[in-house]
Structure formats: structure tokens, C-alpha cells
Amino acid sequence: MIVLVVTHVLFLIFVKVESYDVISSLSPKNCNDSSYFDSLSHKCKSCGIFQTASRDHLSCKCDIGRYPEYSEKTKSIECVSCVQSFQSDTCLKDNLTCELYDIKVLQVTGNSTIARCLRCPLWQQPDAGRSSCVPCSDMCHCPDDYEDVNGTCVKDYFAFPDTPSISTFNLDGRTYISNYLREWVRPAAAKCKAEGGGKHCEHLTNICVLTDYNYDSQSACAFYRQLSTGFSHSIYYDDSQGDYLLNSARINILKDQTMEFVVKQYGLDGTYQLIQPLRSVFTSLCCTGIWKPIQRNGNIYKSCSLHLKTASVADMRFYELYFVDQAVNQSRLINVPVKVLNFLRGGVQRNRENDISRWQLTKRFFNFDVAIGSNQEGNIDFIRYLSSFTIRFSVVQGEKSLGLRSLYATINYETVGNLENRKPPLVYFAVKNVVSMDEAMKSLEVALSVLSSFGALYALIRIVVWYIRSDKATIDLLTLIRLLFYGADILGNVILIVVFFFTFYWFITFRQQEEVAISLPSAQEEQFIKDLVISAFTLKAISVLWMIGEQCTVDIFLIDWESPKPTKTEVVSVWRMFFVANEWNELQVARKSSTSLQVILVLLALKVFQFERFALEIPSTYFVMESLLNYSTVLRLALGLFTYLIVVLMQNVLNAVIFERYFENKVQRFTDVCTLSNISVWVRVHTRYGFYVHGRSPHGFADIDMPTMCQQLQREEENLCAQRGLVQGQDIQTFSIFFHHALLDKWRKLHTSQPSGTYPTFDARNQFLTSFLDHAIRDVDYEVRDRHFLETILDMEMWWNMTFNERTVFYNDGKNCFDSVLFYGNETTLVIFELALFALVDIFCHCYLTAAVTVFIVYKALQFLRYRFGRQNLAKKTMIDPRFLF
């Protein structure tokens, strides 16, 4: 086992760089006169005997005084000596008649020179002067059992069946019949098989690249994979190898070095065209201007206008991208994997997915395509071009040196029909240094763990408070369920807060950096953040629904203090109670902020004022009107949450500072309405906990005419009457209550003594509560006190005080705490829910408009549920016919 582990570690060390395709940086210029440059191995190879390299060093030719002759022994062309004589070479050759596949050569016999015919070898034909053999172009000397396929002798041409899928090309869901594919796929495959490599295999490779590497059916890529000797020499990366390249492989680099990239260039027919700088790709498409060096600690973002009006097949270029390894004195080039976004597999563009394991990395790409779009009439239906090119890498700091990780290029092709009478499209180029975010993600996980621990502690405190207020004797199933709901509420808050602060930190730091100090999370890290948002929304949705259920089941009773006037025998009017009930019904769904205004302002900032562009994947603090970059999910999340939160805070601040103070305080208005109506509100949330709104009129009567009402208000304004508070000499009208067992027992007896919903029951309850509040019941009494500091902070009652307390306790409240059973007092919970929903929709749709509209619709649905069921509960508990609730 130890041996296996050591072997595995050594393997990882030695293949760290070798996982990439490494070739020498030699070029034909490095080859001497006796060697030629082999484009496949990227090395110089020696020419044969009596041969010298051609001018471009891409092939060999016979020395002067020798001519090529096919040798039956070696089955190849050899250079044979030719001794010149006094006879005219031209005359000798002109008087000689040779067959179609022969060339005319001179042969020395004794002292004379004669001309004779020499058969060209297989797969070659005479040149125009019939003096030498050249590779076939239109006809070949083929044996009887071979077939001439466009200049190549092929024995098994039937191995490449002529199926309709060979000449078809799918573009945006539409199928085209390509004349170029029909003419060249099978011949290129046949020549590649016959020669076992070389130019024709490169031609087949290029056709495969043009068809977006699709090998689902009989196609150029299917033929290429059939002829390929294995992935080690393939334009495809193996799936497991690609995952290692993007996650584990490392290339050592020098400090402060420039990131130099080059491309190995081919023509469409497979002709090797030397190694060129990376900028040659873009000079073939448009004018790139000044090309700045690529720094390891910086990013580059460029764009230029495409010019293809005079483009032809001869201008098409195919490239393989290489990184120049300067750590070894430029002695080798390291192949950079390419992720083509247009790649199709099973009809799906898998390279656009976030799952790296489903990506298909490749090696070759093209600048533009005017071949595939050709039809039978000789016209071009469409032109494809390289619309965006992004190199991504991550610089990591090692113990002794720097290194590169996740080095790959992302490429996208787009299509135009005609460039004659239209604005030229843009071509985008970017280099992105994706800094490792391991430490940031660890910090995120630590923050979640720590805050979740505090959240769990707070959930325990809340369940203890509920346990005391509900007068529980044992821990039952309901206690555990409620603990889970409290935990869901707090954990949802924790997750969303952590996600917001971390994404906002990334947003600020990323946008302000001049040199790359922080990057955006990778696809896996981004997915983790998405999962957090999904979890936060799910937890908050559960919490909000639970809150609505609790609010719609509270026990509420309206206490009428009005009594018949001594001078009159009329009964007390019920309309005052209807009026207060309708005010409560309306107050149930009131908010401190307007969701409609919220949505409008958020969309105004993000869409109309185009602040959305700050979420582009570009580290700058200015707008980028045209860019190849997509919107970053993390940046969109931070920007959307920040904008939504700022608008909410502005609404709440303006509501508290201006609207509630100078225009209308809805909760305080309800308390004033209760006083004017001479009606108090009794609310019981839990078994031993509730609220009380003291609405007893200081004037004693409220069922009066308008002049009397105005006189009472005038007397109150001039301080000529008692104050409104429950306790004499005080103005406090709202209280939280901790009920005593004696009061609860009396209250239960009133419920069971008479049928529910009858008026005698209402009168009995009303008389009991008024007597209780007037301290008129001897064995059931209450006291009014202030909360201790710790009780205020934790919103709880100290059980050591409550256990031995003999009376119900009314806690003074100057903040209208009864709004906790209304939407008005749960503004924070609703805002966090809206933030989670807004973030959830945007991370999947990448559309702030959709997210805002979804928030509006969902909130209106929740508001409808709260209003409808709350109205039913109000009618049931106050015994008011629901037809009187508007």
C-alpha cells in the first residue's frame, strides 16, 4: 500500500506539466539545409540521401544533377544521378512519347545520354513539364484494386459511407446542406487513411473543427476519431484529463514575467503555416491597434470591428494555442486547452454548463468560416466568425515559486448572413487572471459556521421564551417542531447576511482593483453560493408562512367601555366596534414600505439608469457599454441585494423620520381610533402571553354627536381632562401581558359556560375584562411594571419572577409592540424574504426585471392570504359578521 501511495505521488509530481501537450518552440527557420520541419512532431527531420531542404524547409528536393526515380526496392522516390552530355535535353525529351503517368528523364549509357520514360510512384503524378513527380492533385497512377479519389489512391473508400449527415450542418436549430462538406469530407478522410497522417489528416481535422467538434453521427469528426490513434495525439482532450488540467495541473512561471502566447497556424487544406504571435488571430479579423504585453497580475479587455467583406477560403486560418514556457529558456511550448462554447454533444451545448465534468476541451479553433455556408449554387448562406476569445488562468503562490492553474481559453462563434450593408459586428478579446478563492471560500464557510452557532443559541433562547409563555410542562413534539421553525428563520437570516456581505466585499474589491488581487468565484464556488441562496429562500419561505399562520390564529377580543347614558334608555351602538374592527382589518397587511414603489425604484436604478452594467465581469469602476463579458452571478447578486436593501432602508427611514411624524403613523392612528371609539383591544398570542391596547376614553363616553366630540377633543388638547393611559397620570396605552393562571382559568370558564358566538358570551367576556382592568375582581388582579434591561434585550420574561408572581403583569410599552402580530411589526422578516426571493430568481434568470416582478407577485399573494385568513379569524374571535368587515 505504501509503495502504491508513493508511486501515485511521484506520478502526480512528474505529470504536473506533462498533462498539457508540450512541444518544442522550434520553427522551420531552425532547420538546416539537410533537414525539413515536420509540423506534426514540431521537430526537424533529416532529408534522404542526395536531398536538400526546400526553400520553406517544409519538404525535401533532389540535389542538382539528380532526378527523382521510384525505387521498387524501397517503394519510395530516390534521387538518381544524371550525367549531362552534349545532346540537347529538350530534344531528347520531345522525341520521346510516354504514357499518362510517366515522366521523361535522362539516362547516361557509356558516352551518350538518352531519354526514357519513368513511371511515377503511387499517389504522385507528373508535373506540368513532365520532368518530375509531384503529389497528386486531380489524377493519380493507381493500381487496379485502388480508386482515384480526388488525386489520392484509396483502397477502402467504401469505409467512409456517403450518408446525408456528412453534408449537413445544424445552426441555431436549422439544418443546412453544405456543398463544401459534401465535396471534401470523404476525400479528406480517404487521403488521411491512405497516407496515415500529414496534410490530408490536418484537412480532415480542420473540417471537424468547422463542424463544432460534433461526432454524434457520420461526420468529419466521426471519421477523424475513427482514424485517430488515440487521445494523446488528438484534438480532443479526454474527460478525466480535462478535469485534471482545470483543477490540479500546475505550470511554474517566473516572477514578473509577461504571459506570452503563440499559435500554431494551418490553412484550411491542412498546410502548416508556422508559429505566429497570438495577435495574428485578431489581425486576420480586424485591426487590433497597439498590442500590450499580457501581465500575470493584470487583465486585458479589447474589442474591434470585424472586416470580412473580401474574405475567402484562402484567408481562413486554424490555430492551436500555446503558452511560452519561459521558465526553461523558451525551449518548449505548452498547449492551452480550448473550450468552444458552440460544441455540441447529443444536441446540447455542454460547454455552456457550469458542471466542469461535462466540458469537452479541445485544441484547435478557427478565425472565420466562409466554407461551411456554401450551397450548391456557389453562394454563401452565412459566415461564421470568432466573436469572443477569453484566456483564463489562475496565478497561485507556492512555497518556492509562482505557478499557473486553470489555464484555458473560452471561444464563441457567431453567425452573420451578409456584411455588405450592415454595421460590422464586434470581436472581443480578454485575458482574465482568476485569482484562487480558496481562502475566501474558507472564510465564508467559517463565517457560516460561527454565525450559525450563535443562531442556534438564539433559537434556543426563543424556544425557551415560547416554552414559558405557552405554559408548557414537558418538551413535546410541538416544542420540537417550533424549535425547527425558529431555527429555519434564524438560519435563513444568517445565510443571506453572510452571502450578502461576502458578495458585496467581492463586488467592491473586484471593481476597484487596478492589479488583480481578487477574482470572482469559479463555477463550483459560484454553485455553492447559489445553493446558499436557495437554502436561504427555502428557510425564509417556511418562516414567513409559519408567521402568517400564527398571525391568522391569534385570540383577539374588542373590549367595549361604553355604557348607556344615565339620562337615556338607549342601548350602546355597535357601529363603533365595527369601525375599530375594520381599522384592525386594514392594519393587518399594512407595511412600513411600499412593495410597488420598491419594485419601481429598484428597476429604475438597475435598468433605466443602467447600474446593472456594474455587474459585468470587468474590474473597473466605470461603465462598459460594449463588452464580451457576461454578467457575473456573484456581482449581480451583490448589486441586486445592495440596491434592493438601500431602497428599503430609504423607505423605512423616510417613513420613520418624515411620514410617521408629520403625516400618518398607522399604528398610533389605530390607538387613537380605539380611544375615540372607547374600545380596547385584547390580544392573546400564546397561552400566557399577549398584548393590550388601552382605548378607554378619558371622557367616559364616545357614542356622541359631532359637537360633543369636538368639545371633548378641545378639552383634551387643553389638558382639562384625565390622561389616556391605563395607569392614572400616564399616557402609555399599549402593553405586553404575562397572564396569571387565575386569570386564564376564569377566561376558560367563560368560554365553556355558554355556547360560542352568542351575544351573552360577548357580554360576559366584556364585563369580565372591564372588571379585571378596573381591579374589581378580588382574586384576579394585575400590576403594571417596566421591563428589566435584560428582558428588553431578549424580549422575554424572567421565569424566576413569573413562577412566584401572584398577579398578571402588564409591561409598559412605548413602541406599540402589538404590531408583532401584524405585517407592520415584521418588516425585517418580510424584507429578508423579498431579498432572498429577488436573489433566487436573478441567479437563475439573470434578469432583474423578472426578479422584481416575481417579488411583487409573490408578495401580493402572501398579502392576499394574510388578509383573507386574518379577516376570517377577526370575524370569528370578535363575533362580528364578516359582511361588516371591508
Side-chain angles (χ1 to χ4, degrees):
M1 178 61 70
I2 297 177
V3 174
L4 290 177
V5 173
V6 173
T7 304
H8 181 69
V9 172
L10 292 176
F11 172 76
L12 292 179
I13 293 175
F14 285 112
V15 303
K16 187 171 291 185
V17 172
E18 281 69 12
S19 297
Y20 294 94
D21 283 349
V22 180
I23 64 173
S24 68
S25 58
L26 297 177
S27 68
K29 296 180 181 179
N30 299 108
C31 301
N32 54 34
D33 292 339
S34 61
S35 61
Y36 72 99
F37 186 77
D38 182 18
S39 62
L40 292 179
S41 62
H42 226 259
K43 297 179 180 179
C44 296
K45 291 187 177 182
S46 299
C47 292
I49 301 177
F50 307 119
Q51 294 181 359
T52 57
S54 61
R55 179 175 298 180
D56 57 9
H57 287 272
L58 294 177
S59 61
C60 295
K61 63 179 181 179
C62 291
D63 294 337
I64 299 175
R66 294 183 178 273
Y67 64 92
E69 182 178 272
Y70 180 74
S71 173
E72 292 291 344
K73 183 178 180 180
T74 62
K75 303 296 183 182
S76 62
I77 295 291
E78 295 181 353
C79 294
V80 181
S81 175
C82 176
V83 180
Q84 300 293 331
S85 66
F86 61 90
Q87 294 175 296
S88 172
D89 297 344
T90 304
C91 180
L92 290 173
K93 293 181 180 180
D94 288 344
N95 292 330
L96 183 66
T97 302
C98 297
E99 295 184 4
L100 181 61
Y101 299 106
D102 293 345
I103 60 174
K104 298 177 180 180
V105 297
L106 300 177
Q107 183 177 10
V108 178
T109 304
N111 295 327
S112 62
T113 301
I114 62 174
R116 72 181 186 89
C117 297
L118 177 66
R119 179 62 54 88
C120 282
L122 296 179
W123 311 306
Q124 293 204 13
Q125 66 184 36
D127 62 0
R130 301 183 70 84
S131 60
S132 63
C133 296
V134 295
C136 297
S137 59
D138 54 1
M139 62 178 182
C140 265
H141 169 211
C142 299
D144 295 338
D145 55 345
Y146 282 70
E147 183 177 351
D148 182 3
V149 179
N150 199 12
T152 300
C153 298
V154 180
K155 186 175 184 180
D156 299 323
Y157 193 54
F158 61 88
F160 307 101
D162 187 9
T163 60
S165 61
I166 291 179
S167 58
T168 58
F169 182 75
N170 294 320
L171 180 64
D172 299 330
R174 183 178 176 182
T175 302
Y176 289 88
I177 303 299
S178 172
N179 187 54
Y180 187 86
L181 294 179
R182 184 175 59 250
E183 290 184 358
W184 287 102
V185 170
R186 296 180 71 223
K191 293 180 180 181
C192 177
K193 181 177 181 180
E195 297 184 2
K199 174 180 176 180
H200 300 299
C201 289
E202 298 294 344
H203 186 197
L204 181 63
T205 301
N206 293 339
I207 298 177
C208 175
V209 175
L210 289 177
T211 56
D212 295 331
Y213 294 95
N214 186 3
Y215 54 88
D216 289 334
S217 59
Q218 290 292 336
S219 61
C221 293
F223 294 154
Y224 169 80
R225 292 170 66 87
Q226 176 183 339
L227 298 172
S228 176
T229 58
F231 278 103
S232 59
H233 298 90
S234 173
I235 57 172
Y236 294 89
Y237 280 94
D238 186 22
D239 292 340
S240 60
Q241 186 181 13
D243 183 70
Y244 177 78
L245 289 175
L246 298 183
N247 293 297
S248 303
R250 171 180 171 137
I251 303 172
N252 292 327
I253 60 174
L254 302 175
K255 293 185 177 180
D256 300 325
Q257 78 172 62
T258 58
M259 308 297 291
E260 186 176 352
F261 294 91
V262 296
V263 289
K264 189 163 69 170
Q265 184 172 289
Y266 296 88
L268 174 60
D269 61 355
T271 303
Y272 177 73
Q273 297 178 344
L274 309 183
I275 291 180
Q276 300 290 337
L278 177 60
R279 63 175 177 269
S280 64
V281 177
F282 300 95
T283 54
S284 67
L285 294 167
C286 52
C287 180
T288 58
I290 300 176
W291 187 272
K292 297 181 180 180
I294 302 173
Q295 303 294 332
R296 69 168 179 84
N297 58 349
N299 293 336
I300 292 180
Y301 303 90
K302 290 178 177 290
S303 64
C304 58
S305 298
L306 181 69
H307 59 78
L308 291 179
K309 294 183 178 180
T310 59
S312 63
V313 171
D315 299 320
M316 293 174 59
R317 296 292 182 268
F318 292 78
Y319 307 95
E320 292 180 8
L321 181 63
Y322 290 88
F323 170 71
V324 179
D325 187 6
Q326 299 181 13
V328 289
N329 300 321
Q330 298 187 4
S331 62
R332 59 182 178 180
L333 304 177
I334 301 177
N335 185 253
V336 178
V338 174
K339 183 182 76 167
V340 179
L341 298 180
N342 307 77
F343 169 76
L344 286 173
R345 186 76 169 95
V348 178
Q349 292 181 335
R350 291 167 50 174
N351 284 351
R352 295 184 183 271
E353 300 177 2
N354 292 327
D355 187 1
I356 294 181
S357 62
R358 289 178 56 83
W359 290 359
Q360 175 63 71
L361 299 180
T362 51
K363 298 179 182 179
R364 191 170 295 189
F365 62 97
F366 60 89
N367 54 355
F368 62 86
D369 170 26
V370 293
I372 299 296
S374 61
N375 54 35
Q376 295 182 359
E377 290 75 21
N379 299 322
I380 298 178
D381 294 330
F382 57 85
I383 300 175
R384 304 175 70 212
Y385 67 96
L386 179 65
S387 63
S388 67
F389 184 96
T390 303
I391 298 177
R392 299 172 185 263
F393 59 88
S394 175
V395 178
V396 293
Q397 181 74 45
E399 296 181 358
K400 298 182 180 180
S401 62
L402 295 175
L404 291 183
R405 287 179 57 186
S406 302
L407 177 61
Y408 69 99
T410 301
I411 288 176
N412 185 53
Y413 300 111
E414 292 187 6
T415 306
V416 292
N418 194 337
L419 295 176
E420 293 296 333
N421 299 316
R422 56 166 293 172
K423 182 181 178 180
L426 293 178
V427 177
Y428 301 104
F429 169 69
V431 176
K432 299 181 63 178
N433 180 2
V434 185
V435 180
S436 176
M437 300 300 294
D438 293 341
E439 293 298 327
M441 297 306 297
K442 289 180 181 178
S443 300
L444 175 62
E445 294 174 359
V446 170
L448 283 173
S449 302
V450 173
L451 292 181
S452 297
S453 301
F454 283 106
L457 179 62
Y458 182 56
L460 290 175
I461 295 175
R462 287 184 62 179
I463 198 64
V464 169
V465 172
W466 174 85
Y467 190 82
I468 296 173
R469 291 174 176 177
S470 299
D471 197 27
K472 289 287 184 179
T474 59
I475 300 176
D476 54 5
L477 180 60
L478 180 60
T479 305
L480 298 178
I481 293 175
R482 183 171 286 270
L483 177 61
L484 292 178
F485 279 105
Y486 282 153
D489 180 37
I490 297 171
L491 184 59
N493 295 342
V494 167
I495 292 175
L496 195 63
I497 290 172
V498 171
V499 168
F500 169 71
F501 278 105
F502 268 82
T503 55
F504 189 70
Y505 166 76
W506 276 321
F507 178 84
I508 296 298
T509 309
F510 181 78
R511 297 294 299 182
Q512 290 183 343
Q513 62 187 346
E514 295 181 0
E515 291 188 355
V516 178
I518 187 173
S519 179
L520 297 176
S522 63
Q524 296 92 336
E525 297 163 344
E526 194 174 88
Q527 185 60 45
F528 176 67
I529 296 175
K530 289 182 179 180
D531 294 339
L532 290 179
V533 173
I534 295 172
S535 301
F537 169 75
T538 304
L539 296 173
K540 290 306 297 182
I542 295 173
S543 173
V544 169
L545 292 176
W546 179 268
M547 179 194 72
I548 292 176
E550 280 196 321
Q551 291 183 0
C552 293
T553 55
V554 296
D555 191 5
I556 183 171
F557 187 79
L558 302 182
I559 306 173
D560 192 356
W561 293 96
E562 194 78 10
S563 58
K565 295 181 181 180
T567 58
K568 296 183 179 181
T569 59
E570 296 140 355
V571 297
V572 177
S573 173
V574 74
W575 294 107
R576 293 173 298 101
M577 187 170 292
F578 287 170
F579 179 58
V580 173
N582 276 284
E583 284 294 316
W584 179 271
N585 188 44
E586 180 183 349
L587 190 62
Q588 290 186 106
V589 292
R591 290 276 303 274
K592 296 179 182 179
S593 61
S594 170
T595 305
S596 303
L597 181 61
Q598 176 77 23
V599 168
I600 293 174
L601 292 179
V602 168
L603 291 179
L604 185 67
L606 294 176
K607 303 298 288 186
V608 178
F609 294 148
Q610 296 187 348
F611 288 168
E612 182 184 20
R613 292 190 176 273
F614 280 120
L616 289 170
E617 293 180 333
I618 178 170
S620 61
T621 55
Y622 53 86
F623 285 128
V624 180
M625 302 306 296
E626 293 176 329
S627 174
L628 76 161
L629 300 173
N630 296 323
Y631 285 100
S632 167
T633 299
V634 172
L635 297 184
R636 288 185 64 90
L637 187 60
L639 182 62
L641 291 177
F642 177 75
T643 305
Y644 201 98
L645 188 60
I646 286 296
V647 175
V648 167
L649 291 177
M650 288 175 56
Q651 285 200 70
N652 280 270
V653 170
L654 292 176
N655 179 70
V657 175
I658 298 177
F659 191 79
E660 288 185 350
R661 177 172 296 184
Y662 298 105
F663 293 94
E664 179 188 32
N665 187 326
K666 296 177 182 179
V667 177
Q668 184 60 47
R669 184 192 66 178
F670 175 76
T671 305
D672 294 337
V673 167
C674 290
T675 303
L676 294 176
S677 303
N678 203 19
I679 292 177
S680 296
V681 181
W682 179 275
V683 180
R684 192 167 64 132
V685 181
H686 305 304
T687 303
R688 299 191 63 183
Y689 183 76
F691 303 103
Y692 174 66
V693 180
H694 186 62
R696 189 172 188 176
S697 174
H699 308 285
F701 299 95
D703 196 3
I704 54 180
D705 56 13
M706 179 62 70
T708 306
M709 177 66 71
C710 293
Q711 290 177 5
Q712 290 183 356
L713 293 176
Q714 183 66 28
R715 285 173 56 83
E716 191 172 355
E717 184 177 353
E718 296 174 358
N719 201 21
L720 299 176
C721 62
Q723 293 179 310
R724 294 183 175 185
L726 175 62
V727 179
Q728 186 176 2
Q730 295 184 1
D731 285 330
I732 299 177
Q733 294 181 263
T734 57
F735 304 86
S736 57
I737 311 172
F738 191 85
F739 301 109
H740 192 266
H741 287 294
L743 176 62
L744 295 177
D745 292 339
K746 294 281 188 180
W747 186 254
R748 293 190 189 99
K749 290 180 181 179
L750 290 175
H751 277 264
T752 58
S753 61
Q754 295 179 346
S756 176
T758 61
Y759 289 105
T761 301
F762 173 81
D763 292 337
R765 295 178 186 177
N766 191 76
Q767 184 178 358
F768 170 75
L769 291 177
T770 55
S771 300
F772 167 73
L773 294 170
D774 283 338
H775 301 280
I777 304 177
R778 178 178 301 177
D779 55 342
V780 179
D781 201 0
Y782 68 93
E783 63 175 303
V784 179
R785 67 169 67 162
D786 293 326
R787 286 183 179 272
H788 298 302
F789 176 76
L790 189 59
E791 289 179 318
T792 304
I793 294 298
L794 298 179
D795 186 26
M796 66 180 297
E797 296 76 33
M798 296 305 173
W799 60 88
W800 53 81
N801 289 334
M802 296 299 103
T803 304
F804 303 102
N805 195 65
E806 297 180 354
R807 292 181 293 180
T808 297
V809 179
F810 280 59
Y811 290 98
N812 287 319
D813 170 52
K815 300 180 180 179
N816 299 316
C817 62
F818 70 91
D819 62 6
S820 62
V821 296
L822 309 169
F823 269 5
Y824 201 86
N826 292 274
E827 183 72 16
T828 301
T829 300
L830 293 173
V831 167
I832 294 178
F833 170 76
E834 291 175 356
L835 286 169
L837 178 59
F838 186 85
L840 177 71
V841 176
D842 185 67
I843 62 176
F844 286 104
C845 299
H846 270 214
C847 179
Y848 287 132
L849 176 61
T850 303
V853 172
T854 303
V855 168
F856 178 79
I857 294 174
V858 171
Y859 172 72
K860 287 300 179 181
L862 293 177
Q863 187 182 53
F864 172 77
L865 292 175
R866 174 66 179 87
Y867 180 81
R868 179 170 181 177
F869 291 106
R871 179 171 175 269
Q872 292 179 0
N873 181 67
L874 179 64
K876 178 182 178 181
K877 298 298 175 59
T878 60
M879 291 178 287
I880 295 177
D881 193 298
R883 289 172 293 182
F884 292 104
L885 297 177
F886 305 106

